[in-house]
Amino acid sequence: MNGRERGRKLRDLVFADYAAKQVARRPNSVRPGDIGRPCTRSLWYAVHWADKLERFEGRMLRLFETGHSQEDRLLSDLRRVGGEVIARDPNNAADQIRIVTLSGHMKGYLDSVVGNLPFSTSDWVVGECKTHSDKSFKAIETDGVEVAKPEHHAQMQIYMGQHNIDEAIYCAVNKNTDDLYFEFVPFNKTYYDRLLHKADLVAFSPTPPAKINERPEFYLCKMCKARDVCHGGEFPERSCRTCKECRPVRNQVLPV
């Protein structure tokens, strides 16, 4: 083998190690990062472990790792301009700042809470960091986060509502150019209440909500991990969550 061929072999070995070490997990609660998705039924399937367990190739796992590393850089950018960034739980520095609601059936972790941020209308803001492809980044620049990334917008609404904070700062980086996009997002109490109602339905409904569309070829359904169960009548993998006798517990806080 020549040098290029051996290099490709080395690349494949690195990606294979990423893939071999991944731990595929199902969600044990409703995730704030998902609650803004348009199909409530797909969320119900995910929380009840009735969709396909997703595993990723090594390249994608490395890309996710890159996204996590960019979070620290974005928070450092906020510190550069005088922001007081809190990225860990003040009561336990080993943990992120978290939210737990709906008797433990909705849980999530904040990237940060930021004080004294220039141009903010609030003493403290929720800081949310995301990485984007060039196409996705340009869409946010054109339309704003609420239109271009409704899941991210909903996620911030949950975090603001749970921490009684009136504003969030959305921090985005273009992975192609390293350009930055910041947007101050106000808290919307009406929308927040709708999201909590939606999460309650996902967590506690004994049966799946209505389909978003009756056609399996509908664009949101074609790539859905629950498509075969939802549209094809396939039985999900057997587990405690897919048992017909499974009943979520209300008014009893579950372990975090």
Side-chain angles (χ1 to χ4, degrees), residues 12 47 96 137-138 165 183 231 247:
D12 294 343
V47 170
Q96 289 180 270
F137 188 86
K138 289 177 179 177
I165 294 176
E183 180 180 342
H231 287 284
R247 294 292 182 272

Side-chain angles (χ1 to χ4, degrees), residues 9-10 18 38 58 70-71 86 106 110 130-131 135-136 142 148 160 169-170 180 184 192 195 202 219 244 251:
K9 290 285 188 181
L10 180 61
Y18 272 92
Q70 284 286 354
E71 178 184 318
I86 300 175
M106 175 181 253
L110 283 68
K130 302 292 185 185
T131 60
K135 180 180 179 181
S136 176
T142 301
M160 284 188 280
I169 181 66
Y170 186 74
L180 299 176
F184 287 98
Y192 167 74
L195 290 172
V202 170
Y219 78 102
K244 68 178 182 179
N251 299 324

Side-chain angles (χ1 to χ4, degrees), residues 37-39 42 151 212-213 215-225 227 231:
R37 282 161 42 183
C39 182
S42 70
E151 292 176 31
I212 194 170
N213 196 286
R215 295 182 296 112
E217 65 272 16
F218 181 62
Y219 78 102
L220 287 176
C221 301
K222 285 200 297 185
M223 299 300 293
C224 179
K225 292 183 294 181
R227 183 176 186 266
H231 287 284

Side-chain angles (χ1 to χ4, degrees), residues 127-187:
E128 186 63 33
C129 304
K130 302 292 185 185
T131 60
H132 294 270
S133 66
D134 190 59
K135 180 180 179 181
S136 176
F137 188 86
K138 289 177 179 177
I140 292 178
E141 285 187 310
T142 301
D143 299 322
V145 64
E146 183 175 2
V147 173
K149 290 293 177 181
E151 292 176 31
H152 297 171
H153 181 261
Q155 183 178 11
M156 289 185 287
Q157 295 297 328
I158 292 294
Y159 292 157
M160 284 188 280
Q162 287 293 300
H163 283 275
N164 296 313
I165 294 176
D166 294 329
E167 194 167 58
I169 181 66
Y170 186 74
C171 313
V173 59
N174 185 323
K175 291 182 288 189
N176 298 68
T177 65
D178 225 29
D179 196 6
L180 299 176
Y181 174 85
F182 296 109
E183 180 180 342
F184 287 98
V185 177
F187 178 57

Side-chain angles (χ1 to χ4, degrees), residues 13-219:
L13 188 63
V14 169
F15 286 155
D17 186 70
Y18 272 92
K21 291 180 179 176
Q22 72 175 301
V23 179
R25 294 188 178 94
R26 292 191 180 277
N28 62 1
S29 62
V30 183
R31 295 183 289 205
D34 294 335
I35 197 61
R37 282 161 42 183
C39 182
T40 306
R41 187 180 178 97
S42 70
L43 297 175
W44 189 94
Y45 280 131
V47 170
H48 291 78
W49 298 357
D51 58 359
K52 290 182 178 177
L53 183 60
E54 193 167 19
R55 296 184 65 87
F56 298 95
E57 61 180 23
R59 183 188 65 82
M60 286 301 300
L61 293 167
R62 192 176 188 281
L63 186 62
F64 296 153
E65 190 177 89
T66 299
H68 291 312
S69 67
Q70 284 286 354
E71 178 184 318
D72 290 335
R73 287 192 68 195
L74 286 166
L75 295 181
S76 292
D77 290 331
L78 299 184
R79 291 188 180 98
R80 286 175 186 272
V81 296
E84 181 184 345
V85 177
I86 300 175
R88 313 302 296 181
D89 186 338
N91 298 316
N92 186 353
D95 289 339
Q96 289 180 270
I97 305 168
R98 68 182 65 188
I99 65 105
V100 180
T101 188
L102 297 180
S103 300
H105 291 283
M106 175 181 253
K107 290 179 280 192
Y109 295 90
L110 283 68
D111 290 340
S112 66
V113 175
V114 186
N116 302 316
L117 191 62
F119 310 111
S120 174
T121 60
S122 181
D123 291 336
W124 291 94
V125 299
V126 167
E128 186 63 33
C129 304
K130 302 292 185 185
T131 60
H132 294 270
S133 66
D134 190 59
K135 180 180 179 181
S136 176
F137 188 86
K138 289 177 179 177
I140 292 178
E141 285 187 310
T142 301
D143 299 322
V145 64
E146 183 175 2
V147 173
K149 290 293 177 181
E151 292 176 31
H152 297 171
H153 181 261
Q155 183 178 11
M156 289 185 287
Q157 295 297 328
I158 292 294
Y159 292 157
M160 284 188 280
Q162 287 293 300
H163 283 275
N164 296 313
I165 294 176
D166 294 329
E167 194 167 58
I169 181 66
Y170 186 74
C171 313
V173 59
N174 185 323
K175 291 182 288 189
N176 298 68
T177 65
D178 225 29
D179 196 6
L180 299 176
Y181 174 85
F182 296 109
E183 180 180 342
F184 287 98
V185 177
F187 178 57
N188 184 327
K189 178 65 164 59
T190 301
Y191 183 44
Y192 167 74
D193 289 340
R194 291 208 312 268
L195 290 172
L196 281 188
H197 176 75
K198 181 178 179 180
D200 188 279
L201 178 66
V202 170
F204 297 109
S205 175
T207 56
K211 296 177 183 179
I212 194 170
N213 196 286
E214 292 297 327
R215 295 182 296 112
E217 65 272 16
F218 181 62
Y219 78 102

